[in-house]
């Protein structure tokens, strides 16, 4: 009987390392995304006492019919977990900017509703936020670069949101 250990399988194929050009693009993206998020967070904290993510929630509610959305839909739009959304909505409720309402057709469901006070904060904050976005992004790009950036980001986002059942997406967790 042979008791010699079985040799380890051949090493898996080498990873497809990023080329120097790809590495430069990737690091530029990470740097820009990090700096942009910080820039927008600081502007919104200064002008409205809220982080960028909370502003995005108020915007989505403000654009929705009757300024309300089911919590699960709001999590999907914000690309965040339901737990993170629940925490954010609790903070916005504390400020009086959002309220929750039970869903009459689904006892487990809830709506997030933008209050009049929340809408006023959004209306007051939007001009400064748009100016910050314009200054940081759009004023630096040509119309063709803006179009390319939009197309690239749509492709990346679509690739990260498979429509298949069981996809591991934040709002499904």
């Amino acid at each position: 009987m042979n008791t010699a250990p079985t040799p380890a399988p051949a090493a898996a194929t080498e990873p497809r390392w990023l080329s120097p050009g790809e590495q430069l693009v990737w690091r530029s993206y990470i740097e820009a995304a990090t700096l942009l998020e910080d820039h927008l967070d600081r502007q919104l904290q200064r002008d409205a006492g809220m982080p960028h993510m909370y502003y995005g929630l108020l915007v989505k509610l403000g654009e929705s019919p009757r300024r309300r959305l089911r919590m699960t839909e709001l999590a999907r739009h914000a690309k965040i977990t339901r737990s993170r959304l629940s925490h954010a909505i609790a903070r916005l409720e504390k400020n009086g900017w959002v309220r929750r309402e039970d869903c009459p057709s689904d006892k487990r469901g809830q709506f997030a509703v933008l209050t009049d006070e929340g809408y006023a904060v959004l209306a007051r904050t939007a001009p400064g936020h748009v100016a910050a976005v314009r200054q940081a992004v759009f004023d630096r790009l040509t119309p063709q670069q803006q179009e390319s950036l939009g197309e690239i980001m749509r492709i990346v986002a679509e690739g990260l949101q498979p429509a298949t059942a069981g996809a591991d997406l934040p709002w499904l967790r």
Side-chain angles (χ1 to χ4, degrees):
M1 180 179 262
N2 184 352
T3 58
T6 306
T13 59
E14 241 341 89
R16 285 185 52 217
W17 298 110
L18 299 178
S19 71
E22 291 169 331
Q23 189 68 256
L24 181 62
V25 169
W26 176 244
R27 289 181 182 176
S28 295
Y29 164 77
I30 292 297
E31 186 176 317
T34 301
L35 289 169
L36 180 59
E37 190 62 28
D38 178 70
H39 176 72
L40 297 177
D41 262 342
R42 285 183 295 115
Q43 178 269 318
L44 287 163
Q45 285 290 353
R46 181 183 64 245
D47 292 357
M50 75 175 99
H52 188 219
M53 185 187 78
Y54 290 14
Y55 178 81
L57 296 173
L58 297 182
V59 167
K60 191 62 194 166
L61 289 171
E63 295 171 342
S64 299
R66 298 175 48 210
R67 299 190 318 214
R68 62 190 281 141
L69 265 181
R70 292 219 23 175
M71 293 282 283
T72 51
E73 274 301 294
L74 188 54
R76 185 179 67 77
H77 285 291
K79 311 294 186 230
I80 59 175
T81 63
R82 291 176 287 196
S83 172
R84 188 169 180 203
L85 175 66
S86 185
H87 177 75
I89 293 298
R91 296 287 304 271
L92 293 169
E93 280 180 305
K94 196 173 183 179
N95 290 342
W97 300 345
V98 172
R99 72 175 181 276
R100 293 181 215 220
E101 292 179 357
D102 291 331
C103 178
S105 63
D106 177 2
K107 297 299 178 202
R108 295 179 303 158
Q110 284 191 316
F111 287 97
V113 181
L114 183 64
T115 64
D116 290 341
E117 186 179 346
Y119 189 78
V121 167
L122 184 59
R124 196 170 50 247
T125 306
H129 180 66
V130 170
V133 169
R134 182 167 296 291
Q135 178 270 328
V137 180
F138 294 99
D139 290 348
R140 298 173 186 274
L141 301 176
T142 67
Q144 295 80 16
Q145 289 171 323
Q146 292 173 25
E147 189 176 319
S148 293
L149 179 62
E151 182 181 346
I152 290 165
M153 292 296 100
R154 278 188 298 280
I155 290 168
V156 171
E158 287 170 5
L160 293 171
Q161 303 180 85
T164 58
D168 185 20
L169 297 167
W171 55 93
L172 298 176
R173 289 184 231 138

